[in-house]
Structures are given as C-alpha cells and as structure tokens.
Amino acid sequence: MNTKTVVLVGVPWSVHELDDAIRDAATLGASLLVVDTPESLAQIGDQTAVDTRTVKALDPLLIADCVRDTEPATVLAITEFCMELAAAVREQLGIPGTPSAVEARVLDKAETREVLHEHGLTKVGFHRSSLLSPEDLLGGLEPPVVVKPRSFSGSHGVTFVADHSELPRVFEPYDLAESNLEDRDTRVAHLAGDHRTHEVIVEEYVPGPEISAEGLVVDGRLTLFSLTDKVNTGMPHFEEVGHMVPSRHTQERAAQVEEYLQAVVSALGFVTSPMHAEIKLLDDRIELVEIHTRYPGDRVVELLESAYEIRPYEAYFDAMLNGRSPGRPRPTGAHYGVGFFNGPTDAPFTWPSYAFPHPEAVVSIDLDRRRAPKVFAYEGLRIRYWRAGHALFAADDHASVHENIDFLLHNTPGQSGSGSRPA
C-alpha cells in the first residue's frame, strides 16, 4: 500500500496536537508533511519526527508549488491562523474541502454574526467597529457589551464593558499606531480578509453558562462528539483557566446543541472539517459565541480521547482521505479535565499553592522554569496572559475535576483569591 501524504500547513501552537496528528495519520497509512517558514519549523525541535518543507512566506502559491511533487492526498491545517491558507492551497491543487471563502467567513466574527442574523440563528445585537474611530465604538448599542477582535481567540483582547465609564479599558491592550501600519505580522497568514485587530466586533452581553461543543462535519453533516465545560476568570477579560469533559449539561442539552449547530454549520457553508463552537446555554435557546473549523487546543483533544472512545484527528483524516463519517463516540464513564497555571506576561511567574482539594484526581502537572511567555503584539494587540504550565485531572465524578480547576482559578494572579467565576 502506498503511503498517502497529508500536507499540514503551519506549525500548531502546541506540540501535543502535532504528536496526536502524526500518530493518527500513521494509523490510516498516511504520513504528515508540515510546511511553514524556517523560523516556525524551528519550533518543532528534534523530538518530533515529522517530514517538513520550508517556504519563504505563507503564500498559497508558494506552498502549492512546494508540495505539488508529493501529490498530496489532502492539505489541512490544525492551527487557527492557517485554516484559510490551507483551503487556498487545496484550491490551487484541485483538492476538495471546505472553501477558503468559508474559512474567511468563519475566521471573521463579524461576518459569522451577520450570517447567523440572516438565518435567524441569533438574537444578539452587534456592531462592526474600529478602535481607530472611538466615537462610534458602540454604534448605538448600550452596555453591557463585550468588545473583541474580529479574528483572534483564547480570550485575547476580549473586554466586558458594564457602562460607558469603562470604555477606556477596551483600548488598554492595543498599540493603535502599530496596528495601523501596512506591515503585517509575518507569523500569521492573511489572505482575502482584512483581519486587523483594531477592527473589533461589539456584541450585547449574554449572561449564562458558556460551554464548548466539539465535533466533525463531513459533507455538511455534523456529528457531535462532546460538550465541554469551561472555567474562565469572568469579567472583564474571561481568560480561560480550564476545561472538563463530559459537560455536566451533556445529558439534557446535547441533542438541542447538535440541532442548533447543524443549522449554524449549514448556514456558514462547512463542507468537511472539525467543528469547535463556544456557546451560551440559555433557558429558551442557544447562542453562539464563536465557531471554528478546527478542533480546540488546550489539550482538549487529549481529554476527548480519554473520556470517549474516539481519536478526533484520525476521524478527521479518515473523512478527508476516504470520505468516511465518524460514528457517535461512546463515553468511557470517567471525567477528565485540564487546568492552566495562568500568569500575566509582564510579571515573573509565581504560584501561591499546589494544595489541590482533590489530589487523588491529579494525573500530572507540567511546569518548566525554562518557559517564557509569548510576548508579542498581534497587529497592535499585546498578549496579556500566558500559561506557564497545566495540570491534567481524572475522576469518576465531575465535581472533583471541577473543584481542582476552580482551585487554579482562585489562585490565578489578579483574581485576588475571589475565583470570579462566570455566571
């Protein structure tokens, strides 16, 4: 059997995701070829055995020419900044998949919200805006609102505004002179859309529990894998502290969530791709916060593999290589979670306590004093927090995992021990 080549565009943020992808491609008789700039490929290091090729810039024509001789079976990305780019390379090579226009639409939160509005899938008021025009920032909306970049994730740049007196807080993490330059950050691929971070979306604030949903879309049909509980620091920046699977809402809300998200991916035009959606669960409906054509990061894929009988990347590669839809994964019966040691990027990392309330639920702790925050400005947006490490948890009950992650939240610098949990 000839080994099929899967071209992976862009080095993912976490080596763990790349390791999972390498393993799952091999299971299907495929090999990965990672294409990126020399600077990015240097981040992989010697411990990850994967074939690589370099391009001088993340350009779809350059990448297509670079890999054409391998006759790739498909071209994918597992990092959010390269989803549109990988789709453009597929189009250059005549390989089917979710179109680049759809990837651009999903990447842009304002365009996503407009599609939802056109299809009656949201009741949230919103306004496209620019931080360069502060006089029209809210566009007629009244606080409470949430202001966030149109094309970023991980809660970076997200700010809750309770009233007009808090509007100056929105501008604090931005260098607007830098964001108005013609030069772009060369680490991030830009194609059709103008996704400068000074372009923001202002949305009416929707209270209620926020969870995420993970699944796979094959030929337009969604198979929901899991609902995932999330813990964040709450207002004003909602920095993510941890994730748990299965969600405590799984039994009573999974079918409703899947029906709603099927309508969302159909409206947006997903063809075949993973789906990671962040949603608010309300008494009378579900509201989308944001959606992606990738699996979540933050070790959530690893949690899914533990909590369910599924390998998400294997299912994705199987869909792209063989057109096969996944079965609905069966839960293993245990609860799994990950929590992060978050710290501000402008201060040395310190952690006040490791006295978890449920030490028996701690699987592993990953901390390395050699780590340093990724302090860079994404087109004018300064990254405010970083993760010095993480802890993995497993227990027969949801509460033990949740309380361990809550412990990390209460000890996160800047939380003053309050925990500041979201509603």
Side-chain angles (χ1 to χ4, degrees):
M1 180 178 67
N2 292 328
T3 300
K4 297 178 179 179
T5 298
V6 175
V7 171
L8 206 61
V9 177
V11 175
W13 283 71
S14 170
V15 70
H16 300 289
E17 299 169 34
L18 182 56
D19 289 339
D20 291 342
I22 294 169
R23 178 202 64 195
D24 292 348
T27 300
L28 296 169
S31 63
L32 289 187
L33 174 63
V34 181
V35 180
D36 208 326
T37 61
E39 296 79 11
S40 294
L41 288 172
Q43 300 172 22
I44 296 178
D46 299 329
Q47 296 182 357
T48 300
V50 64
D51 292 333
T52 62
R53 289 194 179 182
T54 62
V55 288
K56 64 180 181 180
L58 292 177
D59 177 89
L61 292 175
L62 292 177
I63 296 173
D65 288 343
C66 175
V67 302
R68 199 182 305 272
D69 65 299
T70 70
E71 299 182 355
T74 191
V75 178
L76 309 173
I78 60 175
T79 180
E80 62 203 82
F81 294 128
C82 293
M83 308 306 297
E84 183 184 356
L85 179 64
V89 176
R90 286 197 300 270
E91 289 163 356
Q92 288 291 325
L93 297 174
I95 297 173
T98 298
S100 60
V102 171
E103 298 285 3
R105 187 182 306 145
V106 173
L107 180 64
D108 188 324
K109 294 180 178 64
E111 289 192 19
T112 296
R113 186 66 64 187
E114 288 173 356
V115 171
L116 297 183
H117 180 73
E118 291 168 3
H119 288 79
L121 295 170
T122 182
K123 297 181 180 179
V124 174
F126 65 98
H127 171 62
R128 288 179 182 239
S129 193
S130 170
L131 297 178
L132 302 180
S133 302
E135 68 282 353
D136 188 42
L137 180 65
L138 298 186
L141 293 177
E142 287 297 322
V145 297
V146 175
V147 183
K148 52 191 176 183
R150 283 173 53 182
S151 60
F152 210 49
S153 64
S155 302
H156 297 297
V158 175
T159 302
F160 173 79
V161 176
D163 55 56
H164 287 272
S165 69
E166 295 183 349
L167 282 174
R169 186 166 62 196
V170 172
F171 299 85
E172 290 175 359
Y174 293 91
D175 182 344
L176 296 181
E178 175 70 21
S179 67
N180 200 29
L181 295 176
E182 288 300 318
D183 293 336
R184 296 293 184 86
D185 189 326
T186 57
R187 284 163 293 202
V188 180
H190 297 272
L191 295 176
D194 185 357
H195 300 307
R196 300 180 185 215
T197 305
H198 66 75
E199 295 184 354
V200 296
I201 179 172
V202 182
E203 297 176 340
E204 293 176 338
Y205 175 68
V206 178
E210 180 178 327
I211 68 170
S212 68
E214 334 304 343
L216 180 64
V217 180
V218 181
D219 291 332
R221 297 301 305 173
L222 169 66
T223 299
L224 184 67
F225 291 162
S226 175
L227 301 185
T228 304
D229 282 337
K230 301 163 64 70
V231 174
N232 64 50
T233 58
M235 303 169 185
H237 302 304
F238 307 99
E239 296 166 4
E240 294 181 351
V241 177
H243 311 280
M244 292 159 287
V245 293
S247 165
R248 65 189 184 279
H249 302 287
T250 298
Q251 191 167 12
E252 73 273 16
R253 303 296 295 263
Q256 181 190 17
V257 169
E258 185 171 38
E259 181 181 8
Y260 171 74
L261 290 177
Q262 176 63 68
V264 170
V265 300
S266 295
L268 289 169
F270 282 47
V271 178
T272 297
S273 64
M275 182 221 64
H276 167 56
E278 297 183 4
I279 56 178
K280 283 290 187 83
L281 297 180
L282 308 179
D283 290 339
D284 61 336
R285 70 186 195 278
I286 296 167
E287 278 286 355
L288 185 77
V289 176
E290 60 185 61
I291 194 167
H292 304 276
T293 56
R294 57 168 174 81
Y295 290 129
D298 294 347
R299 308 299 291 269
V300 175
V301 167
E302 185 175 341
L303 301 184
L304 292 177
E305 292 179 352
S306 299
Y308 294 89
E309 295 178 358
I310 189 170
R311 287 186 171 181
Y313 283 118
E314 181 180 338
Y316 180 29
F317 297 156
D318 198 17
M320 291 296 291
L321 295 173
N322 305 310
R324 190 174 293 120
S325 296
R328 195 171 302 279
R330 293 187 299 176
T332 61
H335 297 263
Y336 294 84
V338 61
F340 302 105
F341 297 98
N342 284 358
T345 54
D346 59 355
F349 176 75
T350 58
W351 199 258
S353 173
Y354 296 89
F356 289 100
H358 299 280
E360 74 284 355
V362 177
V363 174
S364 64
I365 293 178
D366 177 345
L367 280 171
D368 188 334
R369 67 181 302 271
R370 296 168 297 180
R371 286 198 183 103
K374 295 179 180 178
V375 183
F376 66 92
Y378 172 69
E379 296 184 358
L381 171 61
R382 293 184 296 275
I383 304 302
R384 262 184 306 232
Y385 77 98
W386 71 294
R387 291 167 178 162
H390 66 268
L392 294 175
F393 309 113
D396 291 335
D397 62 297
H398 184 278
S400 295
V401 175
H402 189 279
E403 288 167 16
N404 275 357
I405 297 176
D406 243 14
F407 171 80
L408 292 175
L409 173 63
H410 278 71
N411 284 282
T412 296
Q415 293 305 299
S416 303
S418 67
S420 185
R421 288 182 58 190

